[in-house]
Amino acid sequence: MDRQQRRDLKHDKFVDEIGSLSTRARENQRLLLTIAAAAVILAVLTYGIYFYHSTREQKAQVALGTAIETIESPLLPAPGAAPVTGAKFKTEPERAAAAEKQFKDVEANYAGTDAANVASLYLARIAADKGDVASARTRLQKFISDHPKHVLVAGARYSLYRLRIDGGEAPQVAQELQAEVAKPDPVLPADSLLALLAHAWDAQGNSQKSKETYRRIVTEFPDSPYAIDAQRKMGPA
């Protein structure tokens, strides 16, 4: 093989290598472009989903605000009395019925939003006011189970304890509350637990224990929002 042939072979091999590298580079380029395109699409989808949920939550909060305004609106004054700003309803049942429909609309139209979860708590309150304790308990228990870290879960727990006490479970609830009070990290603040415990003793007709519990609230938690009521209920020392 002469020198020229060897040169030609080297040249051909070089061309082949370059061609192979170029092919792999183009393939890698296509892969990179595909990855980049996928990343852009994912980013757009993520933003779109976020925007959708954000917008949906905002709409839900507006609807929730309207329902809360309804349930908290003043009643129309008696004939001849001074007008009341914002009053729309003559009676509490009429107002509650209107608010109930609005809360249910929030729950149905915006399921999965924080506003819908809060609407469920208001519906539990409305159900309890109407005497539908079973429905109220179901809603409260579901909220506690589904949202153990929610900022309103303490209120839901408190309301559920109250419903159970008033529903005839005072002895059982009293035992549960005593166990919670003894824990280093109870499910509710200690003054709230003591207020519930005193109510449970009252429901059982045990005035001695209820007074002792009210006294604990006044003594251990003088700045508690329950302290004034506890002072009144425990009577003279």
Side-chain angles (χ1 to χ4, degrees), residues 62-233:
V62 170
L64 175 66
T66 300
I68 292 175
E69 286 180 3
T70 298
I71 196 68
E72 295 182 351
S73 64
L75 296 175
L76 289 168
V84 178
T85 303
K88 298 179 182 179
F89 305 99
K90 294 181 180 180
T91 65
E92 288 186 9
E94 181 185 3
R95 178 178 61 188
E100 182 178 20
K101 182 183 182 306
Q102 292 174 334
F103 284 123
K104 284 185 175 179
D105 286 343
V106 173
E107 196 176 47
N109 297 332
Y110 302 101
T113 64
D114 191 56
N117 296 331
V118 175
S120 182
L121 290 180
Y122 274 95
L123 288 169
R125 168 185 153 186
I126 293 172
D129 289 343
K130 292 194 302 183
D132 187 1
V133 176
S135 177
R137 284 186 59 166
T138 298
R139 285 185 175 279
L140 290 171
Q141 287 169 339
K142 186 176 188 308
F143 183 89
I144 294 168
S145 175
D146 293 347
H147 312 285
K149 301 298 184 181
H150 197 281
V151 67
L152 297 179
V153 74
R157 290 185 190 279
Y158 187 93
S159 297
L160 183 56
Y161 277 131
R162 288 279 307 199
L163 284 179
R164 292 178 60 200
I165 293 169
D166 296 338
E169 297 182 37
Q172 179 183 344
V173 174
Q175 290 181 353
E176 294 175 18
L177 292 171
Q178 286 176 299
E180 285 295 332
V181 170
K183 292 180 180 179
D185 187 22
V187 294
L188 290 175
D191 58 337
S192 296
L193 291 171
L194 290 172
L196 288 166
L197 182 58
H199 180 59
W201 294 134
D202 282 334
Q204 297 177 73
N206 194 329
S207 59
Q208 180 180 349
K209 285 192 174 182
S210 68
K211 286 183 178 181
E212 290 174 358
T213 308
Y214 286 130
R215 188 170 291 108
R216 282 192 62 182
I217 296 173
V218 174
T219 304
E220 298 176 21
F221 305 97
D223 297 326
S224 167
Y226 305 103
I228 295 177
D229 189 54
Q231 179 71 59
R232 179 179 61 81
K233 289 183 177 180

Side-chain angles (χ1 to χ4, degrees), residues 7-20:
R7 189 182 298 115
D8 291 341
L9 284 173
K10 288 182 180 180
H11 174 74
D12 292 341
K13 186 176 182 180
F14 174 77
V15 171
D16 290 342
E17 288 293 336
I18 290 297
S20 178

